[in-house]
């Protein structure tokens, strides 16, 4: 089993390859793990994972993994910023938390375990075009699901700087991040 301290010592290329391979899932308040490919994936309560829990369990949602990425960036003095994106209508509720980092002189979306990005791709001279590229990616991901019912008024985008207590529920996370 890999230790949190060892993960924090990885060079960026190795770290982000590691992050890409974290299993997409969550732990419940009793500590049981639930993965996206489980038939009963959404039948349990979510509990927010600390960066240490993500490493220990090799499991996390984008919300959890974003905090691991932010901890890594802080330790290695890599500038980063984080955004929460949510589409909430009567038909669909979809969220994504994305970290953007300044790496090798360019801004890029940080790879995570949910969307298949590679470190440094795409790259932008400034943060705003990088975030806008990702917002468009997020919207484009939703449009095939909603088809002509996609409406930007249901799209909520927010940079956030708050931190989260391990074990909070998804409702508590959403309440806190929306403020």
């Amino acid at each position: 089993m890999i230790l949190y301290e060892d993960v924090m010592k990885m060079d960026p290329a190795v770290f982000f390859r590691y992050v890409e391979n974290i299993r997409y899932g969550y732990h419940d308040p009793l500590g049981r793990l639930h993965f996206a490919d489980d038939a009963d994936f959404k039948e349990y309560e979510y509990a927010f994972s600390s960066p240490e829990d993500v490493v220990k369990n090799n499991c996390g949602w984008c919300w959890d993994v974003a905090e691991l990425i932010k901890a890594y960036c802080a330790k290695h003095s890599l500038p980063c910023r984080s955004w929460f994106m949510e589409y909430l209508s009567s038909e669909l509720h979809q969220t994504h938390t994305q970290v953007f980092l300044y790496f090798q002189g360019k801004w890029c979306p940080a790879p995570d375990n949910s969307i298949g990005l590679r470190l440094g791709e795409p790259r932008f001279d400034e943060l705003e075009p990088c975030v806008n590229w990702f917002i468009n990616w997020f919207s484009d991901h939703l449009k095939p699901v909603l088809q002509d019912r996609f409406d930007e008024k249901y799209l909520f985008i927010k940079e956030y700087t708050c931190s989260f207590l391990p074990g909070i529920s998804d409702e508590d996370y959403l309440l806190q991040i929306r403020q």
Side-chain angles (χ1 to χ4, degrees):
M1 173 169 41
I2 191 161
L3 300 175
Y4 177 76
E5 295 77 23
D6 295 333
V7 169
M8 289 293 115
K9 292 176 187 173
M10 294 175 174
D11 72 50
V14 173
F15 172 78
F16 284 105
R17 277 194 306 274
Y18 165 78
V19 167
E20 291 170 20
N21 290 297
I22 293 171
R23 289 193 64 191
Y24 189 81
Y26 63 96
H27 76 269
D28 64 27
L30 299 175
R32 296 174 299 197
L33 300 179
H34 307 280
F35 298 102
D37 53 357
D38 294 345
D40 56 359
F41 178 63
K42 295 186 179 186
E43 294 181 17
Y44 299 97
E45 292 181 45
Y46 166 86
F48 189 80
S49 294
S50 69
E52 293 86 351
D53 289 336
V54 171
V55 171
K56 178 181 135 199
N57 296 325
N58 189 39
C59 175
W61 272 359
C62 61
W63 302 351
D64 311 301
V65 172
E67 297 307 302
L68 172 63
I69 293 168
K70 288 168 44 182
Y72 178 86
C73 288
K75 180 166 178 58
H76 293 274
S77 302
L78 289 170
C80 72
R81 309 273 285 276
S82 49
W83 262 260
F84 174 73
M85 300 168 205
E86 178 177 43
Y87 189 89
L88 179 57
S89 71
S90 60
E91 293 181 66
L92 180 68
H93 185 211
Q94 183 78 40
T95 67
H96 185 67
T97 301
Q98 183 64 44
V99 177
F100 299 92
L101 67 121
Y102 193 72
F103 181 70
Q104 297 179 337
K106 302 281 185 178
W107 284 98
C108 59
D112 64 17
N113 63 336
S114 64
I115 58 174
L117 295 172
R118 298 286 176 242
L119 180 59
E121 296 176 15
R123 300 164 48 95
F124 297 86
D125 290 330
E126 297 178 15
L127 177 60
E128 185 177 346
C130 185
V131 172
N132 288 336
W133 174 87
F134 197 87
I135 291 168
N136 288 333
W137 178 92
F138 183 70
S139 297
D140 288 347
H141 174 74
L142 299 171
K143 288 175 183 175
V145 175
L146 292 163
Q147 297 172 358
D148 62 346
R149 298 176 313 280
F150 177 84
D151 190 334
E152 284 193 22
K153 74 180 178 186
Y154 298 118
L155 192 59
F156 175 69
I157 311 288
K158 176 188 176 192
E159 182 177 13
Y160 72 94
T161 56
C162 57
S163 56
F164 308 95
L165 293 174
I168 64 171
S169 70
D170 51 343
E171 292 88 8
D172 289 339
Y173 176 90
L174 290 170
L175 182 66
Q176 184 177 341
I177 204 163
R178 288 175 182 149
Q179 293 180 8

